[in-house]
Amino acid sequence: MEFDIVELSRLQFAMTAMYHFLFVPLTLGLAVLVAIMETVYVMTDRPIWRQMTKFWGMLFGINFAIGVATGITMEFQFGMNWSYFSHYVGDIFGAPLALEGLMAFFLEATFVGLFFFGWDKLSKVGHLIVTWLVAIGSNFSALWILIANGWMQNPVGAEFNPDTMRMEMTSFFEVMFNEVAQAKFVHTVSAGYVTASVFVLGVSAWYLLKGRHVELARRSITVAASFGLASALSVVVLGDESGYSATHSQRMKLAAIEGMWESEPAPASFTLIGLPDQEARETKYAVHIPYLMGLIGTRSLTREIAGIDELIAESETRIRSGIIAYDALMTIREERDATSPDVRSTFEAHSGDLGYAFLLKRYVDDPRDATEAQIVQASNDTLPTVWPLFWAFRIMVGLGFSFIAIMAYFFWRSSFRGQDYPHWALWGAVLIIPTPWIAAELGWFVAEYGRQPWTVDGVLPTALSVSHLSVTDLLLTLAGFMIFYTVLFVVEMGLMLKYIRKGPFEDVEETEAWTARHEHRLRTHDGKGPFAETPAE
Amino acid sequence: MILHEFISYDVLRVIWWALLGVLLIGFALTDGFDMGVGALLPFVAKTDIERRVVINTVGPVWEGNQVWFILGGGAIFAAWPPLYAVSFSGFYLAMFVILAALIVRPVAFKYRSKRESARWRTAWDWALFAGGAVPALLFGVAVGNVLQGVPFELTPDLFARYEGAFYAKFFGLLNPFAILAGVVSLAMLVTHGAAWLSFKAEGVVATRARSVGAVSGLVTIVGYVLAGIWLAFGIEGYAFASDVAANGPSNPLYTEVLRTDSWLSAYAARPWIALAPVLGLLGMVMTVLGMRAGREGKTLLWSKLGIFGAISSVGLTMFPFILPSSIDPRSSLTVWDSSSSHQTLFVMLVATVIFMPMILVYTAWVYKVLWGKVTEADVTESSSAY
């Protein structure tokens, strides 16, 4: 079997990133849910809410540990495996990663220790603030990471510098407020909230089925269903926002997801289902919904969305233009300050297409020597394989809509049916626990696989982004990660299940004391409300 | 944006070179004692409750401390992209080993005391040992290799290529001078961990930590002095062979570099930098004396001074070189030709000036809340203790 450094590097990155993202969404969502629970505790003073905070907080902690640990791999893998990528775009891409550490991760990691160890050392409000800081920190973390990733999808605010052979930042503002990044951030964070809501809902449903910890489980379901419903709506709406921004920034990805081979007259129809055939360049047995794609993609009835064939033809033009840029670049590199202004202006006119010339480096050392056939081949390469994208996207969207329905159902039962849930619904809630993870992983697959053959869309091809490593290097680390991550996963799941089975620590005395105080207050009608201390009797 | 023109490019580069030092020192001072404590765990604590006390002295803070490392990585990426690209891929397998150790450590902290089984706990104790000792050793090995130069060259496209097969690259790192540097780094962080335990634990654990710390402190001093002598007489240095534009573009190939007899010529050119090794040695000696006399807080402070001096002495000796190349000196990365763009350095500096003080304030507050010794009672009575 032949191994290829690029493919092995991709495999390792995909594996470690997707593994990392098994833990991230739960961290994002559970942090907020726990903070909400603790807020209710501080406001009402009811001990059950503190027990809920501690119980879900404990599960948060088990998950958080691996999330942090596997995140370290992500931070260092760019340098280890994607050395040329790191050189070529580090000037832009590194900044959000460093800002993530400065602004977000420090906050989250410094206070998470106090969240667990500070219960007896801080006032109630003090501890609540700590919990919210952890939640805010983890969400800010996601913001910066998605600004970095958003830039790979839509590289704005940067230009190529021939002296340093890399992209350099021209506007930090544009990088930060990149529309793709902002839409991705809210979409991803909401997906994390849905994941945590489904998790809390499922675990609580299991307690109700077993008749254990009923008080805690009912309240948890109420919180999870209301928060989950709002988040599920936001995931779908902001997924749509991503679709809208993809229309002008990531047109090939959009066309591939749609299996849209030819440009259609506006407004384009949406292919609900079908079988994309890469060879024949058509989608067989397609079921169309008229107008829908045009509406999602352009929010108009008149603007056209480009199809795959048109985009490949466009790539070919850009490759030819990129070769001109490459030729000028070589002259500039040779003559440096002595370069004639003509060459400089030629370069500037074509430098936006330089990345397209690099696509040829898979076939020929110097893109200027490329044959016609190689140019055609490289332009065809700009289309990723369609069917995995087509299907992954549809499963993700289907799951997204079903989360709205599930959360709405539990919200309705919780609010209007006296928190009474039928058996089948509770079992359903337990069984669907894995589904948000599936949706999230498919979402990342669509985003990253859909951007191929690029690491940075239109700027740097994946095949050029790797480090100078040997196959042995990669096989060793790949095997290492596989063994190591599998062991961690088994250990993590074992502990999660153990602590879920064990259930929350219920301080019966404390709950009873609180209930007695509460009833006393209701009897005496002293009007001081739940915050008042009961006078010692 | 033209705001960045307010600070010139060369000044920004020097600031970011210093900030790189601040981050590495911040990492060594905070996460350093976590690693030292991990490495000491099997030796200073014998019973389960003793081990839990040791673990809980760092339990609430290691997570925040580790961010110094992660931020260090992020800052190298943002401010010195060529350094990030060349060093992390060049030290590929060593980086993987460090990663494995750093991944196992958070999990070990969190999971160790979550099951009663003695085998489970012993296994995680050894994971904590490895998670502390291995990175502490390898960071020193890396510094030892950087001082000798790393076998890489840059192509005209600035793609980094390395000499040698994978095993040569990995085992080549383990040369005698680098191993000595590794031993110094391990001994220094073990001493730092011992100083922390002497400050945060009590009774037999603290006593054992002090006796180990006194020995490892001596090893640090002897090793550091030996490495200094070796560096002076046995290792070639690097210098620019052509004029350097401190404001020029970040392309290492634009300058010529040659080998010199020794790095220590830097001390002739800038005698004041001798302050760094002197302060380092003072800190190390006072740490050992403090361990013997049983002083707690002050010993920890002296240990910090020792680490500060030792790390700064490496940076100052090499300045302006950051990562020299042994096979193609021209490819060497220096302060003047391997930074980010003027604009990126400026934006990142603004962010650092805003957020770094906040980080220092809230970190200090967390340490204040957690002030005081960790006792056996603290561990048994708290439901959230590790």
Side-chain angles (χ1 to χ4, degrees), chain B residues 320-386:
Chain B
F321 284 83
I322 303 179
L323 187 69
S325 161
S326 56
I327 54 169
D328 178 31
R330 196 167 72 116
S331 295
S332 300
L333 308 183
T334 73
V335 173
W336 312 126
D337 58 23
S338 50
S339 75
S340 288
S341 64
H342 196 166
Q343 162 128 287
T344 299
L345 287 184
F346 180 78
V347 170
M348 292 309 299
L349 181 63
V350 170
T352 307
V353 168
I354 296 172
F355 289 104
M356 192 46 84
M358 287 166 67
I359 290 170
L360 293 176
V361 167
Y362 64 63
T363 304
W365 180 75
V366 167
Y367 275 85
K368 185 170 161 278
V369 170
L370 297 164
W371 196 260
K373 291 204 180 267
V374 176
T375 63
E376 296 191 357
D378 287 338
V379 175
T380 44
E381 282 162 20
S382 159
S383 61
S384 46
Y386 290 136

Side-chain angles (χ1 to χ4, degrees), chain A residues 458-474:
Chain A
V459 170
L460 185 67
T462 311
L464 240 68
S465 307
V466 289
S467 303
H468 183 234
L469 295 172
S470 68
V471 169
T472 323
D473 281 320
L474 275 154

Side-chain angles (χ1 to χ4, degrees), chain A residues 62 64 73 75-76 79 81 84 91 103 107 112 116 163 166 170 333 468 472-473 477 492 495 498-499, chain B residues 63 70 74 84-85 88 92 103 110-111 114 157-158 162 166 251 254 339-341 343-344 355 362 384:
Chain A
I62 296 174
F64 184 79
T73 310
E75 174 106 8
F76 291 88
N81 292 83
Y84 200 63
D91 196 63
M103 257 184 87
L107 192 69
V112 79
F116 291 107
D163 272 321
R166 66 179 182 193
T170 53
R333 217 150 77 178
H468 183 234
T472 323
D473 281 320
T477 55
E492 205 262 347
L495 270 186
K498 178 190 161 181
Y499 276 87
Chain B
E63 230 147 3
I70 295 170
Y84 178 81
F88 284 29
Y92 187 73
I103 290 171
K110 267 277 187 292
Y111 290 0
K114 288 214 164 27
D157 288 336
L158 299 187
Y162 307 89
F166 82 96
N251 188 335
Y254 281 11
S339 75
S340 288
S341 64
Q343 162 128 287
T344 299
F355 289 104
Y362 64 63
S384 46

